[in-house]
Structures are given as structure tokens and as C-alpha cells.
Amino acid sequence: STFSALALSLGELPLLTAALQDSLNSQWTSHWTRNDVGSLQLGYSMYKDGERYVNLFVYLPLTYKYERERYTRYPIDTTVVQKNVTLNSSLYFTYNDLRHHNSWDCSYNQSTLTPSITDLIGYCYASNPLSVRLGNPDLHSSHRHVVRVHYGHSVPRLEQNFSISTAYDVTIGQIMQTYNYDSQTGAYTYKPKNVNGNWWWDGSVNFTTALDSTKHWRLTNEVRVFRHNVAYAANGVETTTRRLNVRE
């Protein structure tokens, strides 16, 4: 009888719901998104034979984004709605002075990134006590701006070219995963946050020319400067890392 009782206990399986589901750390979500987009495009082009060429293009898409998410993770059971109107703009301008061999190229791009709707919920995901993740209801959209300008001049009979280029890229309110470290427990707590101070700038000067009348010898030179600024937050303090590269 002792052997039979032991065999019966070894052969029994626990309830699957109790064995496989961790109600404290399991989550259930239902997400719905709708995007309504309307755009405006403007274009202008002019060409005068042998004198100049001008091209202008503007693109303005306006987006209405509606998101709704049902989120369940103990002890949270909520429905979150996020509505955003974003204008992502692009502008391109080109001017070529064909008579004097001068050219300009300029562009501007602006884009908006909305936060993840899940990150807007004030959840606390702590299934791994050494890596805790939090939501942040105070998140807002980030905006990126990129400007590029290029100027070129050439002297065809000397096969000579000169150009200056520059670009600037900045993100305002960039969404990043920040963290706090507890030296007593060795635990990290991660939380998304809007951080300013992320940008880079690039500038270069290029020159090339033939050195002899037969064009067998050529001189080429480039000077380039690159500046990068990266911001992040750790232990409640925003920190900036800067990098400067100069090349000749």
C-alpha cells in the first residue's frame, strides 16, 4: 500500500494554470492604432538654357494618430488613449548658376516620434529583481531637425572644383531608457525619459585641381570637422559625452 500511494503521488500533475501562469508578472494587452494622413506638396522648377537652373520642393504631411491600448498586469487593469497631431516637413532647394559654375543645395527635414503607448502606463515590471522596468506617464513626443547646406564652384578648363558642406542634426526631447543603479543590491531600475542634448554637426571643405596643362597631375585636399554630443541620464543625473574629430 505504501508503494501504491507513492506511485500515485508521483504520477499526478499539478493544475496547468497554477504551474504555467505567474499572475503577478504576466501581462495582457490589446492595441489599436489609426493614422489619418493628409499632405501638401509644392514644387517649382525653372531652367534657362545656359544660364541657371532652380528647383524647389516642399512636402508637408499632416498626421492624426489615434491609439488605444487595454493593458492588464497585476495590479493594473486600465485602458490608455493617446492622440497626436504631427507635422513632418521636408524642404529641398537647388540653385545652379550655369554661366559662372556656382551651385547651392539646401535641405531641411523635421520629424516627430511619439512615445510608445505602453511606456505611458505607470507599470512596474519586476520579474527580475535585478532589472526592474518602469513606465513613465510624463513622456512626450520628440522632435528631430536636420539641416544640410552645400556650395560648389568649378573651373572646367582647369578641372578645378571647390566645395563647402555642412550639416546639423538635433533631437529635442529624445526618448531614451535612463537607469538608476543601487550599489547595495546590485539592481538596475530602467525608465524611459525625454532627454535633451543629442546633436551632431559636420562640416567639410574640399578642393581639387589639375597641376599641369596635360592634366596628368592632380592635387586633392579635404578638411573635415565632426562634432557629436550625446546626452543620457543615470542615477537621476543627466550626463553629456562629447566627441570631436578633425581630419586633414
Side-chain angles (χ1 to χ4, degrees), residues 206-234:
N206 292 267
F207 177 75
T208 180
T209 185
L211 295 178
D212 61 322
S213 59
T214 57
K215 311 298 190 300
H216 290 161
W217 296 89
R218 186 176 304 276
L219 172 67
T220 300
N221 185 67
E222 178 191 46
V223 179
R224 184 175 183 182
V225 180
F226 179 78
R227 183 75 162 80
H228 196 192
N229 204 78
V230 179
Y232 58 95

Side-chain angles (χ1 to χ4, degrees), residues 101-159:
H101 308 288
N102 294 313
S103 65
W104 288 90
D105 292 286
C106 307
S107 68
Y108 168 74
N109 292 275
Q110 181 268 331
S111 58
T112 300
L113 177 64
T114 59
S116 165
I117 191 171
T118 303
D119 286 339
L120 292 174
I121 300 172
Y123 65 82
C124 177
Y125 184 43
S127 60
N128 180 357
L130 296 180
S131 180
V132 180
R133 298 189 176 274
L134 305 176
N136 184 0
D138 296 326
L139 281 178
H140 56 80
S141 299
S142 64
H143 304 276
R144 182 184 181 189
H145 304 268
V146 183
V147 179
R148 302 179 187 274
V149 178
H150 174 84
Y151 167 74
H153 173 72
S154 65
V155 183
R157 64 183 181 84
L158 299 177
E159 293 189 5

